[in-house]
Amino acid sequence: MLVILTHGCTQSTNDNQEKISSLNGDISLPAQIKKLNGTDILYIIDKESTLKDTLIDNVQCWRANGDMFFQIDREKYPVYIYTSLMKLEVMAPSTFRIAAYDHDQGQSVESLTGKIKISKNYSSPFPEPDTLQENNLYMVNKSIDLSEKEDLEDKRLQHWWKKVNENQ
C-alpha cells in the first residue's frame, strides 16, 4: 500500500516563486512600477534600486543604481541616464534594462528596441562610445577597462517584457 502525504506540498508563495525564478536565471517581475513623466515608465526589478533626478553640466538627467527596466517614449530627445560606469544618451523611443550597481566593477545594458548611445563614465584610454539598437547588449568592466557590444541572443528579457505587458 502506497500513501502519499501532500499536506503543505502544494502551497507556494511569491517569495518561493521568486527564489525558484532566480535560481533558473529568470528575471523577477517588477518590485515597483513608476511613471517618470507623462510617457516614460520605470520598472524596478530589484527593490533596492534607485533612480534620482539630477543636473549634470546643467542638463537634466537621471542617476541610476541597481537593476531596472526603462520604457522611454516621449517627443523630446535625448534623455540622459548616468550610472557609476556608464553615460547613456537615449536618442529615440526605447525599451532597455540597466543592471548597474555602484559597488560593482561590471555593469550592463540590454536593449530591446530603440537607439541608445553609451560611453564610459570614467577616464579611459579607450573612450569610444557604442550605439545600441534592437536586441543589443553592452557590457563594461572598469577593473580591466573593457567594454563590449554584441547581439543580445539571450531571450529572457524579451520573455520577461512580454510577461510584464500581459500582467498590466
Side-chain angles (χ1 to χ4, degrees):
M1 177 158 121
L2 177 63
V3 177
I4 300 175
L5 299 174
T6 61
H7 179 70
C9 293
T10 59
Q11 295 177 346
S12 66
T13 65
N14 287 342
D15 289 343
N16 287 338
Q17 289 171 346
E18 286 178 18
K19 287 177 187 172
I20 291 168
S21 289
S22 65
L23 289 174
N24 291 332
D26 292 341
I27 303 167
S28 299
L29 288 174
Q32 188 176 10
I33 300 173
K34 292 183 179 181
K35 279 213 171 222
L36 299 175
N37 57 33
T39 56
D40 300 337
I41 302 172
L42 172 66
Y43 299 83
I44 298 173
I45 298 169
D46 176 2
K47 64 184 176 186
E48 304 299 320
S49 300
T50 59
L51 184 72
K52 297 178 182 175
D53 287 314
T54 189
L55 284 175
I56 297 179
D57 298 327
N58 289 323
V59 175
Q60 182 68 33
C61 61
W62 289 314
R63 173 68 171 81
N65 176 30
D67 190 357
M68 56 195 75
F69 185 90
F70 291 83
Q71 182 178 13
I72 306 293
D73 187 13
R74 56 172 59 193
E75 291 182 22
K76 188 177 178 185
Y77 291 91
V79 176
Y80 298 97
I81 304 170
Y82 287 78
T83 74
S84 60
L85 302 180
M86 300 179 290
K87 299 177 193 176
L88 286 75
E89 188 175 347
V90 182
M91 309 296 288
S94 301
T95 54
F96 57 96
R97 177 186 186 187
I98 295 176
Y101 293 89
D102 287 350
H103 61 273
D104 287 344
Q105 291 292 308
Q107 299 181 357
S108 66
V109 176
E110 298 169 88
S111 67
L112 292 180
T113 63
K115 184 176 180 183
I116 307 162
K117 182 178 171 185
I118 301 180
S119 57
K120 296 174 183 172
N121 192 21
Y122 61 90
S123 295
S124 168
F126 312 103
E128 297 80 18
D130 278 304
T131 301
L132 301 186
Q133 295 187 355
E134 185 173 328
N135 295 317
N136 284 156
L137 168 65
Y138 176 87
M139 299 172 289
V140 63
N141 187 310
K142 185 177 180 181
S143 64
I144 57 174
D145 193 27
L146 177 69
S147 64
E148 183 178 2
K149 174 189 163 185
E150 58 188 50
D151 290 336
L152 181 61
E153 295 176 1
D154 186 341
K155 301 297 182 202
R156 283 182 291 184
L157 187 59
Q158 290 174 343
H159 295 302
W160 176 88
W161 184 230
K162 182 179 178 185
K163 191 177 195 181
V164 167
N165 282 310
E166 289 171 354
N167 289 335
Q168 289 185 16

